[in-house]
Amino acid sequence: MKEFNPYRGRFAPSPTGPLHFGSLVAALGSCLEARAHGGEWLLRMEDVDTPRCSPEAAAGILRTLDRLGFEWDGEVMVQSRRTARYGELLEQLKAAHLAYPCACTRRELADSAPAPDGAAIYPGTCRDGLPPGKAARAWRLRVGDAVVAFDDAVQGLQSQRLGAEVGDFVLLRADGYFAYQLAVVADDADQGITHVVRGADLLDSTPRQIHLQTCLGTATPAYAHLPVALNAQGEKLSKQTLAAAADGVAPASALLAALRFLGQAPPDGLADVAAVWAWALENWRLENVPRARALRAPPAW
Ligand code: GLU
């Protein structure tokens, strides 16, 4: 009989372009941490922001992961197929009077101070009802004076005063797409994720996700945020900063570079993908990952 294993991790790329060094680091760290616990490792395509994503990019990421020797469990979850589920959860929040319609345009919010992710801290204009003559554009979550604290396995204790530092945040966007924050909470809950290992660019989003989990009555996973990879200009590697695709590098070298970035010390002479995986599965230690939010990627990338 298969023993119940309480560890289930995941990798959740946004298919906006090819897998690059930064996303490889998140894939490898989340996979090795799951396997080190004898756990499962699931994949999810985060294409909720559909206009920025493409099915070709999603297929390319899966091909690259396969070429790099990753093995995932079960079917790949695809956010763009789950809008009905996100709609159900929004209805649940509306019924609990936790979600409210908002008529504010981006221009009207331009004077508000920025939240950590660059969006405006919502001043609460529509919290007690839409201004007369204005129509709903988006739906927001009422956060009140919630303070969310959690102990990140890499970055240590974190705490955020949601009302003051983020404000009531968007659940359904003015363009009709569900917000990432709602989608990721729905998906982590529905996939039964117990441990989230991902890039530290999402550290500031985590309190919003934990608060949503509390509002929806779903479990809160454990979190570990890995350092984000920066280019020589100090920018986060991404499609926008023209990060090189992992496909341009020999698979074993790509894996070794990601392992070293994550503070692991693979020996010289691991010749092929199978040898690198065998070493990594045996020797992975989360505690060796540098406790930094961001680090320079190796120059060859
Ligand atoms: N889709 C996000 C990204 O590619 C990751 C979200 C997550 O891991 O929660 O940056």
Side-chain angles (χ1 to χ4, degrees):
M1 202 171 74
K2 193 167 183 273
E3 218 177 292
F4 173 69
N5 191 313
Y7 193 112
R8 187 180 273 182
R10 48 59 157 199
F11 173 53
S14 301
T16 55
L19 192 86
H20 54 71
F21 184 72
S23 33
L24 170 59
V25 163
L28 191 60
S30 61
C31 181
L32 289 173
E33 185 60 7
R35 300 306 187 206
H37 286 85
E40 294 176 309
W41 184 67
L42 278 56
L43 279 193
R44 171 158 89 230
M45 284 297 158
E46 295 211 321
D47 59 351
V48 70
D49 191 359
T50 310
R52 291 181 52 234
C53 299
S54 80
E56 294 73 33
I61 289 173
L62 294 183
R63 260 197 319 274
T64 305
L65 288 173
D66 187 50
R67 206 175 128 255
L68 288 164
F70 283 91
E71 290 174 13
W72 53 92
D73 295 300
E75 294 277 304
V76 178
M77 180 177 265
V78 180
Q79 287 187 330
S80 56
R81 299 188 194 138
R82 285 177 43 80
T83 50
R85 175 68 178 138
Y86 306 147
E88 265 171 33
L89 295 177
L90 178 60
E91 289 307 317
Q92 184 182 330
L93 294 167
K94 287 184 197 176
H97 303 291
L98 290 170
Y100 64 86
C102 172
C104 298
T105 61
R106 199 170 292 206
R107 180 130 42 92
E108 285 165 336
L109 298 176
D111 291 340
S112 300
D117 62 0
I121 297 178
Y122 188 61
T125 321
C126 300
R127 191 179 295 142
D128 299 318
L130 291 173
K134 293 242 188 170
R137 293 165 47 81
W139 283 81
R140 289 182 183 271
L141 186 77
R142 199 183 294 282
V143 299
D145 52 10
V147 178
V148 178
F150 67 101
D151 194 5
D152 188 89
V154 175
Q155 309 288 339
L157 267 185
Q158 310 289 318
S159 147
Q160 197 177 61
R161 290 169 302 130
L162 270 183
E165 294 178 51
V166 178
D168 295 348
F169 58 89
V170 171
L171 300 169
L172 180 63
R173 304 179 348 185
D175 60 9
Y177 291 101
F178 284 97
Y180 155 71
Q181 308 292 353
L182 179 62
V184 75
V185 167
D187 298 346
D188 283 337
D190 291 349
Q191 286 190 304
I193 300 302
T194 61
H195 291 73
V196 171
V197 179
R198 61 185 175 186
D201 48 329
L202 292 159
L203 194 60
D204 294 324
S205 286
T206 307
R208 267 171 281 179
Q209 295 169 21
I210 293 175
H211 185 65
L212 258 177
Q213 289 152 5
T214 308
C215 294
L216 290 166
T218 61
T220 292
Y223 288 94
H225 286 84
L226 307 171
V228 167
L230 304 177
N231 65 19
Q233 288 72 46
E235 302 158 326
K236 182 191 155 198
L237 296 186
S238 70
K239 192 181 162 202
Q240 285 72 35
T241 58
L242 307 176
D247 264 345
V249 179
S253 316
L255 292 169
L256 286 169
L259 280 171
R260 294 194 174 109
F261 180 88
L262 287 168
Q264 315 297 305
D268 293 336
L270 297 173
D272 57 17
V273 169
V276 177
W277 274 103
W279 182 88
L281 289 166
E282 188 69 21
N283 294 284
W284 165 258
R285 300 282 177 275
L286 186 69
E287 57 272 27
N288 291 346
V289 172
R291 289 170 182 268
R293 276 200 182 211
L295 289 174
R296 193 62 56 86
W301 287 78

